[in-house]
Amino acid sequence: MPSLDFWYEFASTYSYPAVMRIAPLAEDVGVTVNWRPFLLGPIFANHGWADSPFNLYPTKGRYMWRDLERICEAEDLPLTLPPVAFPQNGLKAARIARAGKEDGWTPDFTRAVFTANFVEKKCISMDHVLAEILEKLGLDAEAVMAESCTDLNKAHLRADTDEACRLGIFGAPSFTIGEELFWGNDRLEEALRWAVKRG
C-alpha cells in the first residue's frame, strides 16, 4: 500500500489546513499517512533565524495571515487568530503527539490541538489545555503527559527533527515519499498522487 510521511509543526499556520484535510484525501486514494510531528525551531536556527520568517519579514507575515484566511474560507475551515504572539510554543504538544504514535491516537490529538490553537484561541503550551484534549479523547492525561516527558520520548522527537533536517525539510507542512520532498499545504494533493504512482 502506498504511504506518505506527513511532517507538521504545531505552531505552523499552513500546517493547520493540511492537518484537517489530509486524512480523507489520503483515504480516498488509498495512501497510508505516517504522522510526523517535528520542531521547526532547530531548523530555523540552522538557517540563522531566531524567529519565524513570517515575523522576520512583516510584509510576508501579513500576506500569510490573509492567505490563510482565503485557504480556510475555501476549505470551509474556521479560523481565528491565536491568543498569544505568533508562533505559539508547540514543544509539549509535539512530545505528546510523538508519544501517541504506537497507540494510534496521534492524528486525533493533532487535529484537536490545531483546533484549540487556530479556532478556540487557546494557548497550546499550557498543560491544562493539553490535558483537557487528552481527556476528551478518552486518554489518561496524567499518564500520557508523564510519558511524553521521558528521556526516550524526547530522544524520539529529536531524532525525528534530525531526520527532517537530513531530508532537507525547511518548513511545514511537508510531505515525503522516500527522499522525495513536497512542501506546503498546496502540495498535498500532488504528494498524494506521487505516493500512489510510486506505491
Side-chain angles (χ1 to χ4, degrees):
M1 186 173 184
S3 63
L4 169 152
D5 279 10
F6 172 35
W7 302 86
Y8 59 94
E9 225 285 8
F10 282 101
S12 161
T13 51
Y14 285 115
S15 288
Y16 167 52
V19 160
M20 306 310 278
R21 295 186 325 116
I22 192 169
L25 291 175
E27 184 177 0
D28 285 347
V29 295
V31 173
T32 298
V33 177
N34 183 21
W35 293 65
R36 306 292 301 270
F38 76 113
L39 301 175
L40 276 173
I43 292 175
F44 286 170
N46 288 343
H47 291 285
W49 301 338
D51 200 349
S52 165
F54 295 128
N55 288 336
L56 295 174
Y57 307 100
T59 302
K60 186 174 185 176
R62 286 191 296 273
Y63 173 84
M64 176 273 293
W65 285 114
R66 181 60 191 132
D67 189 41
L68 189 64
E69 287 175 339
R70 290 192 298 259
I71 290 168
C72 290
E73 182 178 348
E75 297 293 337
D76 199 24
L77 293 172
L79 174 68
T80 57
L81 297 184
V84 295
F86 170 81
Q88 287 210 53
N89 187 331
L91 173 60
K92 291 179 182 179
R95 286 176 176 168
I96 292 171
R98 185 60 180 81
K101 279 178 66 74
E102 280 66 40
D103 293 327
W105 48 260
T106 294
D108 288 336
F109 173 77
T110 297
R111 284 186 287 267
V113 173
F114 273 94
T115 298
N117 188 358
F118 292 104
V119 181
E120 298 170 350
K121 300 181 70 173
K122 293 180 178 178
C123 184
I124 63 169
S125 65
M126 302 289 287
D127 286 353
H128 75 273
V129 171
L130 298 171
E132 181 181 358
I133 290 171
L134 291 167
E135 289 165 1
K136 285 182 178 179
L137 294 176
L139 299 166
D140 183 334
E142 185 176 353
V144 169
M145 293 178 78
E147 181 186 352
S148 76
C149 292
T150 62
D151 289 342
L152 179 61
N153 190 65
K154 290 177 181 179
H156 284 157
L157 183 59
R158 282 194 298 272
D160 289 346
T161 300
D162 289 344
E163 184 181 354
C165 290
R166 183 190 65 77
L167 289 167
I169 290 174
F170 53 87
S174 289
F175 316 94
T176 55
I177 303 94
E179 299 286 320
E180 198 73 29
L181 171 63
F182 297 83
W183 169 58
N185 169 66
D186 59 343
R187 292 296 181 268
L188 170 54
E189 287 84 352
E190 184 180 352
L192 289 169
R193 286 194 294 270
W194 188 275
V196 170
K197 188 186 302 183
R198 298 300 188 273

